[in-house]
């Protein structure tokens, strides 16, 4: 049957015709379609009118297709099979996929959370490729413009319309310094020592102040920021080679302690905790491959977050 003919007939009617051709019985077709016999009989009547042909005549055993109906059998079966494939949700087979996925995150998100997931991802899907992009701070714009398919970030506001999100876990800011820093000899970091020390600020967007500075300003205070830079991991190296204090997310800090000679202390001021999110655009929400990626990543990242959070609580004694 041509598409022009299909457009003139209800799809369910064609499914009924296929069942009648298969079973050659109104009652058995009704049973297969989970319909009543009168309903199938009415459908057969509409089919006869539409095709201007009896389609079926009564025989000693059931119904016998006319020549017109027999001619419809194979084209109709192919058509319904193709429509079924068209309407079925696309499948995704990780072990066979050669797909390239784009993920945006910060260098610290990559180090602390995403890097440990790379090997498990490739165990499940050895043929996939990952393109890691720098997270620019505007979630909606980045995803809307078709750049990354998935972003791990700390949204500054509620996830906007058109963007889906899944919270991974929360975190807090802490202060790190080199192990032989004069302040590292003290068990606690006092506010007075904190304000008297020199600091570096992570500023990916070029901001003059960060969350710590904004909180200090609320208290009528300020600190001495003598260096600004956009890279979290490079900032740790700077603190290892200088007296500059560094305020960073606790999960990142605890993940670096095994690699660098650093001391970690709670901040002498109270800042609100913040949350990590995986976010993606509506256009990929129902994509089978994307669903596999975000579910696999979120499971692994949440486990990693629990591990780092537990280590941080133990280190801070809380």
């Amino acid at each position: 049957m041509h598409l022009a003919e299909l457009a003139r007939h209800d799809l369910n009617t064609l499914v009924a015709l296929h069942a009648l051709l298969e079973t050659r019985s109104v009652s058995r077709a009704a049973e297969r379609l989970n319909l009543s016999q009168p309903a199938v009989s009415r459908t057969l009547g509409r089919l006869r009118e539409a095709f201007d042909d009896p389609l079926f005549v009564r025989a000693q055993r059931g119904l016998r297709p006319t020549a017109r109906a027999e001619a419809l059998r194979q084209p109709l079966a192919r058509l319904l099979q193709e429509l079924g494939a068209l309407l079925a949700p696309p499948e995704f087979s990780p072990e066979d996929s050669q797909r390239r996925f784009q993920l945006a995150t910060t260098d610290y998100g990559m180090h602390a959370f995403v890097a440990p997931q790379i090997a498990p991802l490739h165990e499940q899907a050895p043929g996939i490729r990952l393109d890691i992009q720098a997270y620019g701070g505007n979630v909606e714009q980045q995803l809307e413009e078709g750049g990354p398919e998935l972003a791990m970030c700390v949204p500054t506001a509620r996830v906007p319309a058109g963007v889906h999100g899944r919270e991974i876990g929360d975190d807090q800011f802490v202060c790190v310094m080199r192990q032989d820093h004069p302040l590292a000899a003290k068990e606690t970091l006092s506010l007075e020592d904190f304000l008297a020390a020199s600091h570096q600020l992570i500023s990916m967007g070029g901001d003059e102040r960060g969350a710590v500075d904004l909180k200090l300003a609320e208290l009528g205070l300020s600190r001495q920021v003598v260096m600004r830079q956009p890279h979290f991991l490079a900032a740790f190296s700077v603190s290892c080679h200088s007296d500059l204090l560094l305020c960073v997310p606790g999960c990142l800090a605890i993940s670096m302690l095994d690699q660098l000679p650093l001391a970690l202390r709670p901040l002498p001021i109270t800042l609100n905790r913040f949350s990590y999110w995986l976010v993606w655009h509506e256009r990929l929400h129902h994509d089978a491959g994307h669903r596999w990626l975000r579910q696999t990543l979120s499971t692994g990242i949440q486990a990693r977050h629990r591990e780092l959070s537990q280590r941080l609580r133990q280190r801070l004694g809380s």
Side-chain angles (χ1 to χ4, degrees):
M1 179 174 291
H2 298 296
L3 289 178
E5 291 182 82
L6 172 63
R8 294 197 296 269
H9 303 294
D10 180 80
L11 180 58
N12 290 329
T13 303
L14 297 181
V15 172
L17 175 58
H18 181 255
L20 286 164
L21 285 166
E22 290 278 304
T23 64
R24 300 192 179 196
S25 165
V26 171
S27 60
R28 288 197 295 272
E31 183 178 351
R32 175 182 292 190
L33 299 170
N34 197 27
L35 295 172
S36 66
Q37 289 189 37
V40 175
S41 295
R42 289 192 295 272
T43 299
L44 178 55
R46 292 196 299 272
L47 284 164
R48 284 168 168 163
E49 182 179 354
F51 285 96
D52 193 23
D53 187 271
L55 296 178
F56 297 92
V57 296
R58 293 193 178 279
Q60 187 175 0
R61 294 184 179 180
L63 301 175
R64 176 178 297 174
T66 66
R68 177 74 169 115
E70 282 289 359
L72 291 171
R73 180 193 298 276
Q74 291 186 1
L76 180 58
R78 288 196 300 268
L79 177 63
L80 293 177
Q81 183 178 17
E82 290 170 359
L83 283 172
L86 178 66
L87 297 175
E91 296 182 356
F92 177 78
S93 176
E95 60 272 16
D96 300 322
S97 178
Q98 301 292 316
R99 183 166 170 175
R100 182 181 69 178
F101 293 102
Q102 296 173 310
L103 170 66
T105 187
T106 59
D107 60 337
Y108 94 76
M110 186 67 192
H111 173 83
F113 296 111
V114 179
Q117 316 312 319
I118 302 304
L121 280 175
H122 280 110
E123 286 178 6
Q124 295 185 47
I128 65 169
R129 292 175 293 163
L130 295 173
D131 286 352
I132 307 299
Q133 303 177 9
Y135 167 63
N138 189 324
V139 174
E140 187 172 34
Q141 182 177 349
Q142 274 196 293
L143 299 178
E144 180 67 36
E145 291 177 352
E149 298 171 288
L150 190 65
M152 182 181 172
C153 59
V154 179
T156 55
R158 189 174 181 179
V159 177
V163 175
H164 293 267
R166 179 177 298 170
E167 186 175 358
I168 299 301
D170 63 355
D171 203 350
Q172 67 189 87
F173 278 97
V174 296
C175 183
V176 296
M177 62 195 80
R178 59 185 174 86
Q179 279 185 344
D180 56 351
H181 193 288
L183 295 179
K186 300 182 179 182
E187 291 187 6
T188 60
L189 179 62
S190 70
L191 180 57
E192 181 181 5
D193 287 338
F194 183 79
L195 297 178
S198 296
H199 297 252
Q200 57 173 322
L201 170 67
I202 308 296
S203 178
M204 293 183 292
D207 296 331
E208 293 287 339
R209 300 189 299 176
V212 172
D213 304 286
L214 295 175
K215 184 62 178 182
L216 288 172
E218 291 179 10
L219 302 174
L221 303 171
S222 63
R223 60 175 176 162
Q224 302 180 62
V225 176
V226 300
M227 178 179 180
R228 290 190 304 136
Q229 66 159 306
H231 305 297
F232 282 89
L233 300 188
F236 281 93
S237 180
V238 170
S239 285
C240 284
H241 294 90
S242 72
D243 283 338
L244 300 186
L245 302 188
L246 176 63
C247 297
V248 290
C251 285
L252 173 62
I254 203 70
S255 72
M256 298 296 294
L257 292 191
D258 295 334
Q259 305 171 39
L260 296 173
L262 294 165
L264 184 153
R265 296 290 185 272
L267 290 180
I269 56 174
T270 302
L271 267 67
N272 292 332
R273 299 181 69 88
F274 56 91
S275 296
Y276 300 112
W277 287 68
L278 279 177
V279 294
W280 60 94
H281 197 270
E282 167 67 28
R283 70 177 181 277
L284 292 167
H285 187 59
H286 299 289
D287 181 273
H290 193 273
R291 186 166 57 247
W292 168 82
L293 176 68
R294 65 181 185 254
Q295 289 177 346
T296 305
L297 274 179
S298 64
T299 298
I301 292 174
Q302 284 174 331
R304 174 66 170 170
H305 173 267
R306 288 192 295 270
E307 172 201 341
L308 294 176
S309 295
Q310 182 178 7
R311 289 172 55 189
L312 181 62
R313 287 193 298 270
Q314 291 172 346
R315 178 60 69 102
L316 296 178
S318 58

